[in-house]
């Protein structure tokens, strides 16, 4: 079998690094791997993935994609993890957010290959939903309440209109171990652990609900989609909610960390999300129904408590 090419766009980010780690760890891997970065290329990443190629690419302009064509060729699969992914930063610069999060330069580049059949696996978000009920399904109306969510809805629409082989993954909060080269943003479980381990009292929302998903499950989902395309060659147009099996509030997330670590739950002060100005609107309940994910890929995501245990185990004793 000829070797297949996988390009991870945004390979230096949280999910991107976990994906690269999983793909490069496959024994007798049938894949050639490449990834892109935007700000800088950490030395430890190059050392960790010596067989992969790294390219500087800016999705805002498309700069750098030609170099990928020349040195790597047309990918069989592109996993697009690149984004402005911090809602408050998106709110501050809507124009930049749209131009990065809607992958127009990426699809223009892919369209130029003679056989335009690359599978695009694109990361979207649960923040496409308004947040006024529980367990959203993929067919529910998308009513984003902030710029980040709006840019992701625009991206979904752009892909559906302009590409014929894609899987769009509406991911909830992704949690799990730190990456090989630590990412600049704070990770949810590690942040809670840090606060509670110092014995600091902290406020947590009791009325904001998510279905956090363990990072290794997201990787497994992406690998399953990749294998499906490579083995049967049938184009797909898939839209999947990607969440864990549990609907939890921010306060319940903190309580789970406290129980596993043995911290006092009296440190967790329950407050309403409406009592804090975060500089960006945040949907209240965007818990998701993941039936389609489970039935389509026959994957059962890790329960939240188990994922937190694995995450904390990987971080050590705290
Ligand atoms: N993490 C979560 O909890 C979560 C939840 C739901 C959905 N998602 C979505 O999942 C995807 C991956 O998330 P993540 O947490 O891994 O994101 P992340 O850690 O913020 O990584 C973002 C990546 O995008 C790259 N990037 C930023 N601006 C770019 C530009 N102009 N051109 C090209 N690349 C650019 C960054 O490159 P540099 O590092 O080199 O700057 C980095 O590799 C995103 O689409 C995000 O919206 C994430």
């Amino acid at each position: 079998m000829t070797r297949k090419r996988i390009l991870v766009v945004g390979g230096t980010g949280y999910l991107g690094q976990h994906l690269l780690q999983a793909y490069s760890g496959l024994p007798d891997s049938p894949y050639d791997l490449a990834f892109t970065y935007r700000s800088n290329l950490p030395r430890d990443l190059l050392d960790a993935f010596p067989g992969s190629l790294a390219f500087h690419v800016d999705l805002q302009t498309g700069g750098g994609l030609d170099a990928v064509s020349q040195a790597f060729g047309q990918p069989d699969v592109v996993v697009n993890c690149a984004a402005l992914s911090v809602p408050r930063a998106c709110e501050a610069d809507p124009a930049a957010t749209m131009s990065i999060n809607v992958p127009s330069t990426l699809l223009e580049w892919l369209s130029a290959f003679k056989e335009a059949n690359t599978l695009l696996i694109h990361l979207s978000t649960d923040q496409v939903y308004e947040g006024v009920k529980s367990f959203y399904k993929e067919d529910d109306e998308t009513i984003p309440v902030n710029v980040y969510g709006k840019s992701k809805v625009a991206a979904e629409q752009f892909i559906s209109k302009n590409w014929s082989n894609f899987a769009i993954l509406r991911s909830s909060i992704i949690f799990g171990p730190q990456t090989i080269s630590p990412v600049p943003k704070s990770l949810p479980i590690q942040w809670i652990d840090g606060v509670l381990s110092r014995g600091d009292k902290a406020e947590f929302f009791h009325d904001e609900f998510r279905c956090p998903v363990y990072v290794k499950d997201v990787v497994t989902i992406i690998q399953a989609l990749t294998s499906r395309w490579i083995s049967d060659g049938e184009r797909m147009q898939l839209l999947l909610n990607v969440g864990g099996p549990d609907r939890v509030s921010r306060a319940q997330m903190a309580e789970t960390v406290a129980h596993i670590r043995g911290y006092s739950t009296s440190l967790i002060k329950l407050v309403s999300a409406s009592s804090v100005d975060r500089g960006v609107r945040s949907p209240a309940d965007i818990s998701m129904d993941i039936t389609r994910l489970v039935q389509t890929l026959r994957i059962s995501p890790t329960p939240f408590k188990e994922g937190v245990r694995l995450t904390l185990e990987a971080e050590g004793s705290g």
Side-chain angles (χ1 to χ4, degrees):
M1 198 171 96
T2 54
R3 292 178 66 75
K4 301 294 179 184
R5 299 188 193 113
I6 299 179
L7 174 67
V8 179
V9 178
T12 43
Y14 183 68
L15 177 60
Q17 289 194 46
H18 276 282
L19 264 174
L20 290 169
Q21 205 174 348
Y23 274 120
S24 57
L26 289 177
D28 304 322
S29 172
Y31 303 126
D32 287 334
L33 259 189
F35 66 95
T36 76
Y37 61 97
R38 165 74 180 86
S39 320
N40 57 54
L41 178 57
R43 174 85 245 164
D44 34 5
L45 271 196
L46 271 184
D47 294 343
F49 314 122
S52 60
L53 295 175
F55 297 93
H56 180 260
V57 167
D58 186 349
L59 283 191
Q60 228 173 338
T61 60
L65 287 167
D66 284 346
V68 182
S69 318
Q70 281 155 25
F72 189 61
Q74 179 181 1
D76 294 283
V77 178
V78 169
V79 188
N80 183 21
C81 302
L84 278 192
S85 68
V86 177
R88 201 171 4 178
C90 296
E91 217 62 24
D93 195 344
T97 303
M98 285 293 172
S99 67
I100 296 166
N101 290 4
V102 179
S104 48
T105 56
L106 184 63
L107 282 193
E108 195 182 324
W109 173 68
L110 285 175
S111 304
F113 290 104
K114 216 162 102 197
E115 227 186 322
N117 63 352
T118 296
L119 170 65
L120 173 64
I121 302 176
H122 176 85
L123 269 295
S124 187
T125 173
D126 52 0
Q127 296 210 33
V128 297
Y129 299 120
E130 188 179 11
V132 292
K133 66 168 204 156
S134 300
F135 298 114
Y136 280 88
K137 287 190 190 339
E138 289 84 347
D139 294 332
D140 283 326
E141 195 180 357
T142 52
I143 309 181
V145 302
N146 56 34
V147 170
Y148 174 62
K150 284 178 189 158
S151 73
K152 291 294 193 174
V153 170
E156 292 187 359
Q157 290 168 347
F158 184 83
I159 292 166
S160 313
K161 192 159 167 237
N162 294 288
W163 202 243
S164 62
N165 191 19
F166 62 83
I168 292 169
L169 309 181
R170 286 183 179 161
S171 178
S172 183
I173 295 172
I174 303 172
F175 71 98
Q178 183 53 281
T179 42
I180 288 173
S181 176
V183 287
K185 65 181 177 187
S186 74
L187 301 179
I189 302 305
Q190 289 81 345
W191 182 82
I192 296 170
D193 188 36
V195 170
L196 299 183
S197 70
R198 290 192 294 271
D200 294 343
K201 269 202 170 185
E203 296 183 342
F204 293 93
F205 305 140
H206 59 76
D207 51 2
E208 198 173 271
F209 295 91
R210 306 289 187 259
C211 288
V213 60
Y214 187 50
V215 67
K216 296 197 181 181
D217 292 333
V218 185
V219 168
T220 303
I221 289 161
I222 292 170
Q223 287 183 320
L225 290 163
T226 299
S227 307
R228 176 181 282 207
W229 164 238
I230 282 170
S231 62
D232 69 17
E234 277 183 33
R235 289 175 190 236
M236 58 184 95
Q237 292 90 37
L238 268 181
L239 174 63
L240 296 175
N241 283 344
V242 169
D246 301 303
R247 170 184 177 271
V248 286
S249 68
R250 304 270 178 184
Q252 287 167 322
M253 292 182 208
E255 281 160 13
T256 305
V257 172
H259 285 139
I260 293 172
R261 285 291 207 205
Y263 306 137
S264 167
T265 49
S266 66
L267 298 173
I268 299 165
K269 192 171 163 226
L270 305 186
V271 294
S272 170
S274 61
S275 66
V276 178
D277 178 6
R278 281 173 281 173
V280 55
R281 274 188 72 194
S282 187
D285 184 348
I286 44 176
S287 54
M288 294 184 293
D289 180 321
I290 56 164
T291 308
R292 189 186 286 178
L293 169 75
V294 172
Q295 289 179 349
T296 308
L297 296 178
R298 309 248 166 264
I299 279 168
S300 302
T302 309
F304 181 65
K305 191 171 176 190
E306 175 62 7
V308 173
R309 199 185 56 71
L310 291 167
T311 302
L312 293 172
E313 229 170 64
E315 299 298 331
S317 56

